[in-house]
Amino acid sequence: MSALTHPTPRRELSILIVQMGGIEEVFRSLMALKAVKHLYPEVQLHFIVRKEASAPLRRVDWLASVIETPACPKGEDSVAKVALWIDQIIHPHYDLLVNWTFSERFARMAAIATSLIPALVKLGDYAREDLTIASFDAWSMYRRSWLKNGISQDIHHTDIITTQLLTALQIHAGDPNPDSGYSAVTSRYFFKNAPAEIPSDWANRAKNLKWSAIHAASIGERGQEWIETVLRRHPDAGLVILGEHECDWEIEVNPRVINLSGALHFDSLILVLSQCSWLLSGPNAIVDLASLINLRVLYSVPPGESLDSLQWTESGPYGNGHMVVVSEFKPEIAYAVWSYVQSEWFHKGSLSLSAHFENLSLASALTDSRIYRSRIRPAQEGGGVCFENAIESSNRAPCFEAWMYRVRGQLARAWFCGWLPGVEAEVAKMGANPSLIKRIREITESLSVLDRLSLEGATVAKALHSAAAALKNQHLMTVEDRAVIEEHGKKLLEIETLMDRVVQVEPELRGLSEWYRQLMHNLNGETISQMAKESIHAFELVNEGVELMSLYARKTLELAKPKAVQPEAGSHLTAIGPEGSPSRY
Amino acid sequence: MVADIQLLQGKIIDDPETRMKNVSTLIEELALEILSEDELAVAATVSDRNPVQRGTA
């Protein structure tokens, strides 16, 4: 029986975060810890980070310690140095260790460190004795099976790690105390003040202007056109150009534009950002930093495989009120969105974004772009950040990709949070259109095959478990017993092959087979009987997923069924389909 | 549907002093990872600092 069967008194909990990824992952980890520290203010948070990414953590005064990876100059005994480093960091005993490193480049390093450092409870990826990487918990398996394999779903990286740690804390430390909230973490001034050398241009800027920042490198050359438009049309706006490296944009000399690219270190960057009202940026760590300090972001993201691809939502800006434009960067669209949100205080929602585009004669530009606004969902809708269509004219039923994206996220919430959405209401909200209905009909057949296969898999695994559990010795058995076990094993392999075939036919269901594969990869049992028991569970989980997806499909198809409407006097019965159009079904 | 606590609680290790059998191998592997990262970082710094060494001048 575990030492942690009973919740540990909260004040004694010390948590070690292993985050050896890039700076954007460090910011996301801080965002998650913000919530954890708010709900469990007594916990002691320790943080392991690569020395190249440690600067932000030095400015967070509620972290108990920040441990950098050791420098290993060439020629020195790096093994001895690392051994000494490990010995030093294991001195305090950690109650929980969480490996949040996700990026492929640093995942192995972090997994090995996770295996080496002792803790009472571990979460995240670790290195097994054969040096392969496995996961200690369900959320980490989910990240490896779906997010690493490009299977889009609607849960942000920050929400995944936050939920992972909060769930573990609830299990091991009991419910949080919302009244004891630690206010420092929710402040806009997230990082403690450090004396920063501010470039004189910024110190002497006109304070009566509303300043917005633009991250030059992630926006590209056409950012200059955006700057020119803003300067021309908004005399009350000032712009500051940011970036890791100096950018050589040819902007006419104007006190309303300050170029600080390549001129700021972390402390001065924080100071400048905190004095701006918006940041225009493409994918870059500065977006995560802005989210952390509650600076609103106009995020420009190039489309992925298709305009409707939603892969970017996993790492987009986090929080309320950010705007996202999905298209190759176009200064006129960025300007239209920026000028709309700049004047929100004035029109207070009475002007729609599409009307604003029409006023600017830019309505046609909306055809090859998508615009979203971020929002933190209420807990009863599943919580976390979501991105809603900001153009009401496109408030139409989602394409199949967007439908799957939402349903996949809901599978995860059902699997890991035990939370089931009101499917009927949600489906009604999403709506339906002919092409969506057609695609859903197509997957329905594959879903019913997967349903049968997962049920059969669970039955065979149960039979294998019973046969193996009846053995007196797991290693020595009679020829007859061995034949029975081999027979069950073969059947399981056949079922796996059939599941793979279904996914070949319908690749949109790959998430279910990847999830099964990941669960199999992480089997912990040492005997056939234990492994068979875990296999039963894996098939049951896949089956739960299949059933929930089928429920969504069924409810969406029901939306498309013709409905009889009450005839007006003298008129004939009419069948109406989705969106009130005459039904084609 | 009920959330699976077994899968969500993480791995509970009864004895925190228990170390893996192959600690020395893991330390060697970690040293290699850190070493190769350091080399990459040095290479990146050099190439940032001096474009001539990148062969762009």
Side-chain angles (χ1 to χ4, degrees):
Chain A
M1 174 81 51
S2 154
L4 277 186
T5 306
H6 302 292
T8 307
R10 272 187 230 128
R11 65 181 174 280
E12 290 174 18
L13 274 185
S14 72
I15 304 175
L16 176 67
I17 309 297
V18 178
Q19 180 48 275
M20 293 177 158
I23 195 88
E24 68 286 354
E25 283 201 80
V26 171
F27 290 139
R28 279 179 218 144
S29 302
L30 282 175
M31 182 69 95
L33 291 180
K34 205 171 153 172
V36 171
K37 188 73 181 170
H38 183 64
L39 293 169
Y40 293 88
E42 306 92 343
V43 296
Q44 295 283 309
L45 295 167
H46 305 265
F47 210 108
I48 291 190
V49 63
R50 283 179 310 110
K51 55 186 178 302
E52 294 82 3
S54 67
L57 300 172
R58 302 263 168 224
R59 299 281 171 265
V60 181
D61 53 9
W62 42 266
L63 291 178
S65 68
V66 178
I67 305 155
E68 291 179 0
T69 49
C72 292
K74 227 175 177 179
E76 282 189 23
D77 185 353
S78 55
V79 173
K81 209 157 184 182
V82 169
L84 187 66
W85 178 70
I86 289 285
D87 257 8
Q88 282 166 351
I89 59 177
I90 63 174
H91 182 60
H93 287 307
Y94 303 108
D95 294 303
L96 256 97
L97 181 155
V98 194
N99 175 9
W100 275 345
T101 315
F102 183 68
S103 63
E104 201 58 58
R105 183 170 157 195
F106 306 108
R108 188 175 149 80
M109 183 196 289
I112 296 170
T114 301
S115 293
L116 276 168
I117 303 167
L120 286 169
V121 178
K122 292 189 182 184
L123 298 128
D125 294 344
Y126 69 105
R128 291 194 279 216
E129 292 195 3
D130 61 359
L131 292 176
T132 56
I133 310 294
S135 309
F136 283 128
D137 66 294
W139 278 114
S140 305
M141 289 178 213
Y142 177 71
R143 290 220 290 183
R144 287 184 71 78
S145 63
W146 284 22
L147 280 73
K148 274 215 161 84
N149 282 313
I151 296 167
S152 65
Q153 46 81 53
D154 73 345
I155 311 179
H156 195 281
H157 276 291
T158 303
D159 286 323
I160 290 180
I161 56 176
T162 309
T163 313
Q164 176 196 36
L165 183 51
L166 284 179
T167 308
L169 279 170
Q170 211 171 353
I171 295 169
H172 298 292
D175 287 334
N177 180 2
D179 299 330
S180 60
Y182 187 77
S183 61
V185 295
T186 51
S187 155
R188 174 164 184 153
Y189 303 98
F190 185 86
F191 296 100
K192 67 181 173 193
N193 279 335
E197 227 173 83
I198 304 298
S200 58
D201 283 356
W202 184 254
N204 299 325
R205 74 192 185 284
K207 307 283 193 304
N208 58 334
L209 300 179
K210 281 167 79 181
W211 289 85
S212 293
I214 172 170
H215 185 260
S218 63
I219 290 295
E221 291 286 312
R222 296 200 71 191
Q224 295 172 88
E225 295 170 50
W226 178 77
I227 290 178
E228 281 157 14
T229 314
V230 171
L231 290 179
R232 206 170 49 245
R233 296 191 179 195
H234 290 258
D236 60 338
L239 300 170
V240 54
I241 304 170
L242 303 175
E244 297 79 10
H245 304 289
E246 202 174 330
C247 92
D248 52 1
W249 287 357
E250 288 172 10
I251 309 278
E252 59 175 298
V253 179
N254 185 330
R256 289 166 54 211
V257 186
I258 299 175
N259 186 350
L260 296 180
S261 59
L264 300 177
H265 52 75
F266 183 73
D267 294 329
S268 46
L269 175 64
I270 289 291
L271 196 101
V272 171
L273 283 177
S274 66
Q275 290 164 345
C276 289
S277 54
W278 278 91
L279 166 71
L280 168 62
S281 177
N284 185 279
I286 199 169
V287 171
D288 301 285
L289 175 60
S291 305
L292 199 52
I293 61 170
N294 295 330
L295 170 63
R296 289 174 79 185
V297 180
L298 170 49
Y299 186 56
S300 172
V301 59
E305 286 171 11
S306 80
L307 198 56
D308 290 313
S309 167
L310 293 159
Q311 204 85 49
W312 57 267
T313 58
E314 288 164 7
S315 54
Y318 192 91
N320 277 314
H322 302 296
M323 300 300 291
V324 181
V325 179
V326 183
S327 79
E328 294 305 331
F329 180 75
K330 290 182 184 147
E332 63 277 16
I333 295 187
Y335 169 72
V337 177
W338 177 85
S339 56
Y340 178 79
V341 289
Q342 281 288 319
S343 57
E344 265 179 331
W345 64 272
F346 178 70
H347 57 71
K348 292 188 174 69
S350 62
L351 177 73
S352 68
L353 183 56
S354 54
H356 183 67
F357 268 78
E358 274 169 30
N359 290 345
L360 294 171
S361 308
L362 283 171
S364 60
L366 290 171
T367 51
D368 54 357
S369 60
R370 298 281 183 268
I371 301 174
Y372 300 89
R373 182 193 284 267
S374 70
R375 179 174 71 94
I376 299 290
R377 272 193 217 102
Q380 63 271 23
E381 287 176 32
V385 72
C386 66
F387 296 88
E388 292 173 333
N389 217 320
I391 297 291
E392 59 291 340
S393 63
S394 57
N395 191 15
R396 59 199 188 289
C399 64
F400 180 69
E401 192 168 6
W403 184 87
M404 277 303 274
Y405 154 89
R406 178 69 179 149
V407 174
R408 286 199 201 105
Q410 298 296 43
L411 291 197
R413 290 183 185 93
W415 276 330
F416 311 135
C417 305
W419 180 86
L420 258 182
V423 179
E424 210 148 328
E426 199 179 67
V427 163
K429 211 167 141 190
M430 285 200 278
N433 61 31
S435 62
L436 175 65
I437 295 298
K438 184 169 175 277
R439 275 300 278 126
I440 291 176
R441 280 196 177 134
E442 283 166 11
I443 64 157
T444 306
E445 199 179 324
S446 301
L447 275 172
S448 71
V449 177
L450 272 186
D451 187 35
R452 285 199 300 274
L453 287 173
S454 50
L455 284 175
E456 197 183 334
T459 309
V460 175
K462 272 178 200 159
L464 177 61
H465 172 62
S466 309
L471 295 173
K472 282 183 183 148
N473 183 314
Q474 291 285 312
H475 305 290
L476 287 174
M477 59 190 85
T478 64
V479 176
E480 292 78 18
D481 286 340
R482 191 180 137 178
V484 171
I485 285 171
E486 271 183 357
E487 187 58 31
H488 291 315
K490 270 186 203 162
K491 270 190 198 159
L492 285 179
L493 282 176
E494 274 170 31
I495 290 167
E496 284 174 18
T497 312
L498 289 171
M499 279 169 61
D500 285 342
R501 275 196 206 150
V502 175
V503 172
Q504 273 171 9
V505 174
E506 187 47 83
E508 290 290 346
L509 301 179
R510 188 165 61 98
L512 293 163
S513 64
E514 289 293 346
W515 175 232
Y516 170 79
R517 214 184 305 280
Q518 194 59 228
L519 287 164
M520 289 290 110
H521 174 75
N522 282 285
L523 292 182
N524 282 317
E526 286 175 4
T527 62
I528 301 172
S529 156
Q530 288 165 347
M531 283 191 281
K533 199 173 174 187
E534 289 176 81
S535 304
I536 301 169
H537 190 49
F539 279 113
E540 284 172 349
L541 279 174
V542 171
N543 189 257
E544 281 180 7
V546 171
E547 283 187 355
L548 186 56
M549 200 178 269
S550 304
L551 180 64
Y552 265 90
R554 210 166 46 246
K555 293 290 174 194
T556 310
L557 290 176
E558 278 173 15
L559 277 185
K561 279 187 184 161
K563 294 180 185 77
V565 293
Q566 206 59 39
E568 284 175 19
S571 68
H572 297 289
L573 265 180
T574 314
I576 57 164
E579 296 176 343
S581 59
S583 174
R584 295 169 55 186
Y585 308 102
Chain B
M1 206 174 276
V2 179
D4 186 331
I5 289 178
Q6 289 288 326
L7 270 180
L8 292 166
Q9 68 182 353
K11 170 87 172 165
I12 298 175
I13 296 152
D14 286 329
D15 177 8
E17 293 301 335
T18 304
R19 305 286 291 268
M20 294 182 79
K21 287 173 206 156
N22 56 348
V23 159
S24 57
T25 315
L26 284 171
I27 287 181
E28 277 170 29
E29 289 291 324
L30 183 57
L32 277 174
E33 291 287 331
I34 292 175
L35 200 60
S36 61
E37 265 314 309
D38 276 4
E39 281 170 4
L40 279 175
V42 169
T45 314
V46 168
S47 64
D48 276 355
R49 204 170 40 221
N50 190 350
V52 178
Q53 289 181 1
R54 276 205 311 256
T56 52

